[in-house]
């Protein structure tokens, strides 16, 4: 009875803490949705234009689910330049007339839609999703082009501004539909994006396309001309032939896109298995009480899985072996999936040895490798649920070849040909991030819960290491440090490091696609697999040379 009461108290404390994290997520997102702020939105709307988010919402089927990529891109970055909310661009995967598409819309309320470095990264991520999944991409263009004060960080490199147009050409050759609507300014190099699309629409009076605006034309060649005559809708639809359709206003342009998308033919399917979706039998809301407040506290990952999968049914693979990784088959929103998850509770091996939860041991790495190979053979998409502190260290693990077994797991993840989806639930530290399909391993989508932490190691561990280095350096210089000063220095280092391991820090830099409510996890995975089903698998699974 005492134990039951204690567990109830713990559950309630966890629930309160995690729901506060969700509340914070909602507040942060509400701020991001304002783009450049209320005043700039008013000025934008006064020109007879819809906001970027209004355009996207009008274009997408209202009753169908959608997900937003990179909502927190640029969060708390570029403060000296006034910030760049959501990277100055809105990106969503949703449905237009029942067809799954990705939509990219410049937000002209953020520095006139100018491209910051993170804007380029986010746009390239949108194109990457379109290329990987072979789904149509729609560009809603309203941008002043490269943000000149930071041109050296966005203009000339391989993954900079020019890569967008290179991708336009490659995507067209791959048969991926690209449709652009010019709904505002479209200047200089940015003018190529809509015209390198398969089909382009331009809004009369409020939109323009030119390599150089009227002021620059006057300065360069002495010609007097206004922007509308130089590159407005009438010019490009009736004189230059640059654009394909003229629209009366924003809604008319978006309606034209809907009619074009509606006529796109069907796609070849990868053939991932799907049946009728069924909700989990276990209450999904209980995730908030199961997930512990402290990142180093144990919990049973199986209880999380039961609240994510259809009918709460999960068929474990090698259940009694390699217990710090859980692997098995399930369905999410009807889709067949293979789940690889870190078990966070302390487990006992057959030999009676205790293994720490969240740590990858030799046997668990071996088990995960075999399971990943099985899923590739059966053409089953993989879902990774991360809460990992890394691989086991120490002489016993080293002598048992932990590096070799870890390398096998990394190899399997790297060479996997079925689509992979990564959910960072809690810790995502060191090589554990890699083995559990971190961003570097090409997951189709990667998201974090608000409880996530991404770093080489935990804040406390890193602060202790850095403190030792700092105090040793001070002692070498002959400087004394009191225990009080040492504690203060530790707190300073930990505070700085804790900021960097926040899921919002990662999302701001596009290391993840989003920070999401755990209750939206099923939607993200389902939409992701449906997107992946557009792209038949063309490679065979091959792990290459391994140290056996």
């Amino acid at each position: 009875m005492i134990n039951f009461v204690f567990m109830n108290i713990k559950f309630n404390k966890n629930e309160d803490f995690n729901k506060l994290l969700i509340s914070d997520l909602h507040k942060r997102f509400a701020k991001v949705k304002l783009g450049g702020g209320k005043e700039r939105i008013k000025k934008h709307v006064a020109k007879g234009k819809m906001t970027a988010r209004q355009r996207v919402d009008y274009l997408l089927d209202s009753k169908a689910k959608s997900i937003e990529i990179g909502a927190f891109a640029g969060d708390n970055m570029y403060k000296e330049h006034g910030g760049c909310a959501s990277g100055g661009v809105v990106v969503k995967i949703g449905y237009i007339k029942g067809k799954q598409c990705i939509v990219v819309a410049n937000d002209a309320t953020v520095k006139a839609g100018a491209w910051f470095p993170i804007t380029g990264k986010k746009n390239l991520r949108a194109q990457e999703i379109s290329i990987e999944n072979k789904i149509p991409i729609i560009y809603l263009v309203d941008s002043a082009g490269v943000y000149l004060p930071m041109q050296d960080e966005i203009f000339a490199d391989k993954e900079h501004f020019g890569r967008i147009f290179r991708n336009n050409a490659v995507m067209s050759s791959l048969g991926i539909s690209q449709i652009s609507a010019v709904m505002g300014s479209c200047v200089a190099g940015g003018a190529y994006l809509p015209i390198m699309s398969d089909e382009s629409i331009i809004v009369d009076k409020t939109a323009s396309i030119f390599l150089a605006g009227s002021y620059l034309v006057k300065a360069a060649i002495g010609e007097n001309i206004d922007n509308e005559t130089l590159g407005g809708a009438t010019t490009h639809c009736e004189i230059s032939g640059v654009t394909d359709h003229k629209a009366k206003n924003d809604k008319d342009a978006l309606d034209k896109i809907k009619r074009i998308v509606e006529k796109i033919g069907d796609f070849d399917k990868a053939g991932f298995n799907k049946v009728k979706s069924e909700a989990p039998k276990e209450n999904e809301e209980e995730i908030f009480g199961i997930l512990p407040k402290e990142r180093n506290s144990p919990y049973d990952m199986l209880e999380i899985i039961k609240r994510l999968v259809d009918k709460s049914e999960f068929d474990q693979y090698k259940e009694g072996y390699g217990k710090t990784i859980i692997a098995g088959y399930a369905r999410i929103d009807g889709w067949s999936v293979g789940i690889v998850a870190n078990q966070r509770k302390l487990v006992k091996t057959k030999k009676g040895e205790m293994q720490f939860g969240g740590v990858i041991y030799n046997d668990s790495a071996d088990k995960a490798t075999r399971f990943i190979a099985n899923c590739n053979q059966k053409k089953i998409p993989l879902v990774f649920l991360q809460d990992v502190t890394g691989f086991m260290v120490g002489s016993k693990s080293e002598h048992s070849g932990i590096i070799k077994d870890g390398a096998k797991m990394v190899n399997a993840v790297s060479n996997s040909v079925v689509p992979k989806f990564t959910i960072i639930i809690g810790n995502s530290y060191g090589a554990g991030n890699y083995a559990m399909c971190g961003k570097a391993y090409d997951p189709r989508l990667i998201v974090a819960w608000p409880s996530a932490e991404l770093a080489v190691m935990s804040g406390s561990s890193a602060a202790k290491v850095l403190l030792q280095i700092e105090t040793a350096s001070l002692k070498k210089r002959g400087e004394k440090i009191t225990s009080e000063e040492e504690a203060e220095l530790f707190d300073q280092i930990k505070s700085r490091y804790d900021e960097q391991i926040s899921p919002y820090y990662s999302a701001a830099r596009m290391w993840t696609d989003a920070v999401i409510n755990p209750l939206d996890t099923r939607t993200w995975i389902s939409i992701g697999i449906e997107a992946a089903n557009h792209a038949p698998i063309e490679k065979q699974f091959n792990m290459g040379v391994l140290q056996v």
Side-chain angles (χ1 to χ4, degrees):
M1 180 66 183
I2 294 172
N3 192 42
F4 176 78
V5 171
F6 174 75
M7 287 186 69
N8 253 1
I9 293 170
K10 191 175 180 182
F11 183 97
N12 291 339
K13 283 184 177 179
N14 290 341
E15 186 177 47
D16 290 344
F17 177 77
N18 286 307
K19 286 193 172 179
L20 282 173
L21 290 182
I22 301 302
S23 177
D24 180 52
L25 170 63
H26 291 157
K27 286 175 186 175
R28 288 171 181 261
F29 185 58
K31 185 179 178 182
V32 157
K33 286 175 73 174
L34 291 174
K38 291 179 180 178
E39 286 305 312
R40 286 183 185 169
I41 289 173
K42 280 182 187 176
K43 289 178 182 178
H44 181 86
V45 173
K47 296 174 185 175
K49 298 162 76 172
M50 300 164 73
T51 67
R53 290 185 177 278
Q54 286 172 337
R55 288 166 177 168
V56 174
D57 289 345
Y58 182 83
L59 186 58
L60 294 177
D61 296 347
S62 59
K63 292 182 180 178
K65 290 181 178 179
S66 65
I67 56 175
E68 181 168 351
I69 305 295
F72 293 106
D75 188 44
N76 282 322
M77 295 169 67
Y78 315 118
K79 290 178 182 178
E80 67 277 23
H81 297 278
C84 185
S86 214
V89 61
V90 178
V91 176
K92 284 190 177 184
I93 303 175
Y95 302 83
I96 301 171
K97 294 294 183 179
K99 287 187 171 63
Q100 195 177 48
C101 301
I102 185 161
V103 182
V104 181
N106 298 117
D107 187 348
T109 70
V110 181
K111 295 289 183 182
W115 285 55
F116 282 68
I118 197 66
T119 316
K121 191 170 185 177
K122 185 169 175 179
N123 274 269
L124 287 169
R125 175 62 178 143
Q127 288 185 322
E128 180 183 40
I129 291 170
S130 177
I131 292 167
E132 281 183 327
N133 299 293
K134 292 184 169 57
I135 59 172
I137 187 166
I138 316 298
Y139 306 102
L140 307 181
V141 186
D142 194 345
S143 171
V146 166
Y147 182 61
L148 290 177
M150 300 188 75
Q151 64 85 28
D152 61 322
E153 296 181 48
I154 182 62
F155 173 65
D157 208 348
K158 181 180 177 181
E159 299 299 330
H160 283 178
F161 193 58
R163 189 76 173 182
I164 301 291
F165 317 132
R166 176 264 184 196
N167 284 352
N168 288 143
V170 169
M171 291 162 76
S172 185
S173 74
L174 293 171
I176 298 168
S177 295
Q178 299 175 86
I179 304 164
S180 287
V182 182
M183 311 182 84
S185 179
C186 191
V187 186
Y192 286 102
L193 185 147
I195 310 313
M196 292 190 74
S197 298
D198 303 322
E199 208 155 352
S200 59
I201 299 156
I202 184 168
V203 178
D204 196 19
K205 300 296 186 265
T206 58
S208 56
I209 306 172
F210 34 65
L211 295 182
S214 57
Y215 290 122
L216 188 53
V217 167
K218 172 68 175 174
I221 63 173
E223 181 183 2
N224 284 305
I225 190 168
D226 64 89
N227 282 340
E228 183 63 27
T229 307
L230 180 67
T234 299
T235 295
H236 287 310
C237 286
E238 299 177 20
I239 300 172
S240 71
V242 165
T243 50
D244 303 309
H245 309 276
K246 185 199 285 189
K248 293 177 289 185
N249 51 42
D250 281 8
K251 285 188 176 181
D252 186 35
L254 298 170
D255 286 335
K256 288 180 187 295
I257 292 173
K258 290 181 183 184
R259 291 195 292 274
I260 294 168
V261 171
E262 188 179 29
K263 295 173 180 66
I264 295 174
D266 204 358
F267 56 91
D268 295 331
K269 295 175 178 64
F272 302 122
N273 186 288
K274 189 179 187 189
V275 298
K276 183 183 176 184
S277 174
E278 296 193 51
K281 283 185 178 177
E282 302 290 343
N283 184 356
E284 293 175 74
E285 291 268 354
E286 290 175 352
I287 286 173
F288 299 120
I290 295 165
L291 197 64
K293 177 180 175 181
E294 294 81 14
R295 286 287 75 245
N296 59 352
S297 292
Y299 65 95
D300 190 352
M301 181 64 84
L302 270 174
E303 294 303 319
I304 299 289
I305 292 172
K306 287 176 186 175
R307 286 155 180 83
L308 293 177
V309 301
D310 290 15
K311 298 194 288 184
S312 299
E313 290 181 353
F314 181 62
D315 298 315
Q316 281 205 66
Y317 172 82
K318 290 184 178 288
E319 184 177 352
Y321 177 74
K323 293 182 180 180
T324 63
I325 281 184
I326 299 169
Y329 305 104
R331 290 190 182 275
I332 292 179
D333 197 29
W335 292 103
S336 170
V337 296
I339 294 175
V340 180
N342 302 111
Q343 176 57 286
R344 279 307 313 269
K345 68 178 186 179
L346 200 67
V347 298
K348 185 183 283 189
T349 67
K350 291 288 184 183
K351 296 177 182 179
E353 297 170 336
M354 299 306 294
Q355 293 184 338
F356 296 105
V359 179
I360 302 174
Y361 288 77
N362 297 74
D363 53 357
S364 47
D366 175 67
K367 167 177 160 178
T369 301
R370 289 168 178 265
F371 181 71
I372 290 165
N374 269 331
C375 286
N376 274 272
Q377 188 181 54
K378 295 177 175 70
K379 203 159 74 172
I380 298 174
L382 285 159
V383 175
F384 292 84
L385 302 179
Q386 282 197 18
D387 195 343
V388 58
T389 53
F391 286 89
M392 190 58 190
V393 297
S395 60
K396 186 176 180 181
S397 290
E398 296 294 358
H399 296 170
S400 299
I402 187 66
I403 296 173
K404 181 175 65 177
D405 290 327
K408 289 178 191 175
M409 184 176 173
V410 169
N411 193 310
V413 173
S414 302
N415 287 300
S416 181
V417 296
V418 295
K420 300 168 291 195
F421 302 90
T422 302
I423 315 297
I424 305 173
I425 289 175
N427 303 325
S428 182
Y429 298 154
N433 170 281
Y434 302 158
M436 290 294 293
C437 197
K439 182 66 182 285
Y441 293 82
D442 299 322
R444 295 293 175 97
L445 294 171
I446 177 169
V447 297
W449 289 2
S451 48
E453 292 184 356
L454 288 81
V456 174
M457 61 183 74
S458 72
S460 292
S461 298
K464 286 172 186 174
V465 173
L466 293 169
L467 179 65
Q468 287 173 8
I469 295 169
E470 185 69 23
T471 51
S473 177
L474 289 169
K475 285 174 183 176
K476 276 185 182 178
R477 297 200 299 264
E479 297 179 30
K480 291 183 178 180
I481 182 167
T482 67
S483 57
E484 290 81 8
E485 289 170 332
E486 193 171 294
E488 186 179 343
L489 186 57
F490 175 84
D491 289 339
Q492 287 174 3
I493 294 169
K494 187 175 183 300
S495 176
R496 185 170 67 247
Y497 199 87
D498 282 346
E499 181 187 346
Q500 294 176 1
I501 67 178
S502 159
Y504 297 101
Y505 190 92
S506 299
R509 288 151 184 80
M510 294 296 296
W511 302 342
T512 61
D513 291 316
V515 181
I516 68 166
N517 186 327
L519 302 183
D520 293 330
T521 303
R522 284 168 55 84
T523 297
W524 273 80
I525 293 170
S526 178
I527 288 177
I529 298 176
E530 184 173 345
N533 204 35
H534 288 70
I537 296 171
E538 295 169 353
K539 289 170 61 181
Q540 281 195 327
F541 178 66
N542 185 342
M543 287 177 61
V545 178
L546 290 173
Q547 293 285 342
V548 180

